[in-house]
Amino acid sequence: MSLIRTESSYISNKTKPATPQFAIESFRRLVRSLLVSEKPIIDDVRKEWIDKWPGKCDDIRYFFFKETISLLREFDIKNESRPKYLTANVLSILENIHTMPTDQSEIDEFWVPEIARQEKEQVKQSNLEQTKLDSQDWTAYYDQMVTEEDEEKATDKNAKKSKVRDTINLSAHRAMYSGVWLTLLKCPTGLDVSENRRALVVLHQLVIPFLKPSERASLADWLSDCCDIGGVNALLALNSLWRLMRDHNLDYPDFYRRLYALCDRNVLHVLYRARFFRMLDLFLSSTHLPALLVAAFIKRLSRLSISASPAAIVMLIPFTYNLLKRHPGCMHLIHSERMAQGEEADMYKVEETDPMLSNALDSSLWEMSTHQSHYHSSVNRMSQIFSQVFSKPNFAMEEFLDHAYITMFDSEIRRRIKNNPALYDGKTIGIFGGHKRKLDSLETDEEKDAVSGTQGDLVAELFEF
């Protein structure tokens, strides 16, 4: 990298007139050797590379994105399979770059001195122009007539002034950042399942805010494909789709239908269960959603709770309670006459994929009523809340989302015992080992012989092992 800076300075000063240049050929060989390798890039090398150059110097980051795009497209044009670890190495670097500029003033540090000098001159010139404009009387424009010839000259002059080198232009940085991500995600060969998942984890927070507005629609198409595949990747893709809908006005009418399809038995057992329910709580937080739509989600989760583990039920009960509190139009589900009739009177269509056609409001939450006789004390104690007045505040879901068997076990063994449990007195006679315990409880040999001679004791002796 030191040689590249020296070479870039030499080329810049050699041109007449002197203009900033970058040693792109030498840098291209460096990027290729870094990304195209027979093994994954070493963690120490990646950290050293990001901390010193792409994560710190704006010009190096710009040219790194540019050369990475060319490298990824090179194998697609030749119809050749990409090197085994190329996409993995590119993704490992992109997901660790957290210094993308959000304003033109943040592009202020360069590795090549000539580019830094040009940037300072541009900033100085723009400040002078702004000062000149501020000092002019804003009514002067209306006091003078501009001829067509003067207008053309002014247009040409402004075009020359606006022609800034890409390395110091915010829009050019965003274009390269968008290009490298879209080229990586939408490559013909595609990423494998684990790489797709790694990209989806960081996409909504580290990538979407810095993309060009025109490129966000292309990203939405790729996210829709991830939702169609299903599984964990679909759960993670919903977060990015929601970010595009909320912050960037993406029109995605089938969002809640896809979200409804993801609420199946698998969602209660995946690694990202807590993250999915955090997103689901956010997606259903609006009070303007139709009561029929919210009731469909409540009913679907209640039906899933029947075959769920106690750790999942402990999470679903407060989640359902919060939805009922937030959407009073769904309170009919717990006050319905079908509540006591159970599944026989249930009008809910389980196989319906459209939540608006599921007849959820004509049903009841009889599933939550069954949990009041659950074998686990935490479940039956929490389910009693649906039989009480809804005067309690909403539950803090963060206390329940990360519940698992280990957390429930820890809470049980740490619970203070108020009433002493029943103890074994040593004289109870059962099937397993009951014959021996009964003989030990007898005092005389005659009684023992009498017991041993019975037919039932022969069966008991078979269990004496």
Side-chain angles (χ1 to χ4, degrees):
M1 290 302 297
S2 299
L3 291 174
I4 288 176
R5 178 168 58 181
T6 304
E7 182 181 356
S8 300
S9 299
Y10 173 77
I11 298 174
S12 301
N13 296 324
K14 187 178 180 181
T15 57
K16 301 297 183 180
T19 55
Q21 301 290 333
F22 189 79
I24 194 66
E25 294 296 333
S26 300
F27 187 72
R28 180 178 295 120
R29 291 195 293 269
L30 188 149
V31 172
R32 178 179 290 271
S33 62
L34 184 69
L35 300 179
V36 182
S37 60
E38 298 179 356
K39 297 181 179 180
I41 186 172
I42 303 173
D43 293 340
D44 293 340
V45 174
R46 183 184 65 244
K47 188 176 185 303
E48 180 86 2
W49 168 251
I50 294 175
D51 292 346
K52 285 190 174 181
W53 292 292
K56 186 178 180 181
C57 303
D58 298 304
D59 52 349
I60 298 298
R61 181 175 57 248
Y62 172 84
F63 287 110
F64 173 75
F65 290 159
K66 185 176 182 180
E67 293 306 314
T68 302
I69 294 173
S70 302
L71 187 60
L72 291 172
R73 291 176 177 173
E74 176 182 336
F75 299 95
D76 297 336
I77 295 174
K78 297 179 180 179
N79 292 325
E80 298 179 359
S81 59
R82 293 180 177 179
K84 183 177 180 181
Y85 294 103
L86 174 59
T87 55
N89 290 337
V90 173
L91 183 60
S92 65
I93 293 179
L94 290 179
E95 65 186 359
N96 286 284
I97 293 180
H98 309 300
T99 56
M100 273 296 297
T102 57
D103 189 77
Q104 182 65 46
S105 60
E106 297 178 7
I107 304 178
D108 56 358
E109 190 163 351
F110 303 90
W111 182 247
V112 179
E114 283 70 22
I115 298 179
R117 192 178 304 118
Q118 185 201 32
E119 189 270 341
K120 292 180 180 179
E121 293 176 357
Q122 292 288 345
V123 172
K124 184 178 179 180
Q125 184 178 359
S126 62
N127 290 337
L128 290 175
E129 292 178 354
Q130 185 64 36
T131 303
K132 184 178 179 181
L133 289 175
D134 295 340
S135 61
Q136 291 179 350
D137 185 6
W138 66 274
T139 59
Y141 174 80
Y142 299 99
D143 297 335
Q144 58 181 352
M145 297 296 295
V146 181
T147 62
E148 293 182 0
E149 184 178 357
D150 294 336
E151 196 172 283
E152 291 178 359
K153 291 181 179 179
T155 303
D156 295 338
K157 186 177 181 181
N158 292 332
K160 292 181 180 179
K161 288 182 180 179
S162 61
K163 190 176 181 180
V164 184
R165 289 192 60 87
D166 292 341
T167 50
I168 59 176
N169 194 329
L170 178 63
S171 61
H173 278 264
R174 286 195 168 186
M176 285 299 166
Y177 190 66
S178 304
V180 70
W181 269 106
L182 292 177
T183 305
L184 178 67
L185 297 178
K186 304 180 69 174
C187 61
T189 56
L191 303 177
D192 58 29
V193 177
S194 61
E195 291 173 351
N196 262 332
R197 193 169 301 171
R198 287 168 53 192
L200 288 169
V201 168
V202 301
L203 205 61
H204 69 286
Q205 187 173 3
L206 299 180
V207 181
I208 291 179
F210 304 104
L211 292 181
K212 291 183 64 178
S214 58
E215 302 291 351
R216 289 169 184 150
S218 301
L219 184 62
D221 296 337
W222 180 79
L223 292 172
S224 300
D225 295 339
C226 292
C227 289
D228 294 335
I229 296 173
V232 177
N233 287 359
L235 303 183
L236 298 175
L238 285 175
N239 205 356
S240 298
L241 279 174
W242 176 260
R243 185 71 179 264
L244 290 173
M245 293 169 57
R246 185 190 65 183
D247 299 339
H248 307 290
N249 299 323
L250 174 68
D251 186 15
Y252 194 73
D254 291 336
F255 179 80
Y256 284 98
R257 188 171 180 174
R258 292 177 184 268
L259 181 63
Y260 185 74
L262 292 176
C263 295
D264 54 10
R265 288 189 61 185
N266 297 327
V267 79
L268 300 177
H269 304 281
V270 296
L271 179 63
Y272 295 98
R273 182 184 71 182
R275 180 169 182 165
F276 172 75
F277 277 93
R278 286 189 183 95
M279 293 188 296
L280 185 61
D281 186 47
L282 175 65
F283 301 156
L284 299 177
S285 60
S286 175
T287 56
H288 298 285
L289 293 175
L292 182 58
L293 177 67
V294 179
F297 279 93
I298 294 175
K299 185 62 181 178
R300 173 63 69 92
L301 296 177
S302 300
R303 184 61 61 89
L304 293 177
S305 68
I306 294 181
S307 58
S309 63
I313 300 176
V314 168
M315 176 191 65
L316 290 175
I317 290 176
F319 190 87
T320 304
Y321 180 86
N322 289 351
L323 287 178
L324 292 173
K325 287 273 291 184
R326 192 181 300 142
H327 303 276
C330 300
M331 293 294 291
H332 172 71
L333 293 173
I334 61 174
H335 295 300
S336 175
E337 295 179 355
R338 299 186 178 94
M339 191 79 172
Q341 300 175 12
E343 187 177 6
E344 292 76 10
D346 199 344
M347 302 291 291
Y348 175 65
K349 298 179 181 179
V350 181
E351 304 299 332
E352 178 60 51
T353 59
D354 190 349
M356 302 298 290
L357 303 177
S358 61
N359 290 341
L361 276 180
D362 296 331
S363 179
S364 65
L365 294 185
W366 60 266
E367 299 92 346
M368 291 298 175
S369 179
T370 60
H371 295 321
Q372 296 181 1
S373 57
H374 198 275
Y375 71 89
H376 199 284
S377 61
S378 298
V379 175
N380 62 49
R381 188 170 58 250
M382 287 194 64
S383 60
Q384 300 293 332
I385 195 170
F386 294 107
S387 302
Q388 303 171 3
V389 180
F390 271 52
S391 57
K392 294 183 179 180
N394 288 357
F395 287 95
M397 287 306 302
E398 289 299 326
E399 300 177 2
F400 302 94
L401 290 176
D402 295 321
H403 259 307
Y405 279 115
I406 184 62
T407 57
M408 298 187 72
F409 179 79
D410 291 340
S411 62
E412 288 293 332
I413 62 175
R414 294 173 183 174
R415 181 176 299 173
R416 299 183 63 180
I417 300 176
K418 297 180 180 179
N419 300 321
N420 292 330
L423 300 178
Y424 171 59
D425 58 1
K427 297 181 180 181
T428 304
I429 299 176
I431 296 179
F432 296 98
H435 175 64
K436 184 177 184 301
R437 290 195 299 272
K438 186 174 182 180
L439 291 178
D440 294 340
S441 64
L442 300 178
E443 298 180 356
T444 64
D445 294 336
E446 291 78 5
E447 293 176 344
K448 293 182 179 180
D449 294 338
V451 172
S452 299
T454 61
Q455 184 178 0
D457 295 325
L458 177 62
V459 179
E461 288 180 358
L462 296 177
F463 289 94
E464 295 283 346
F465 53 84

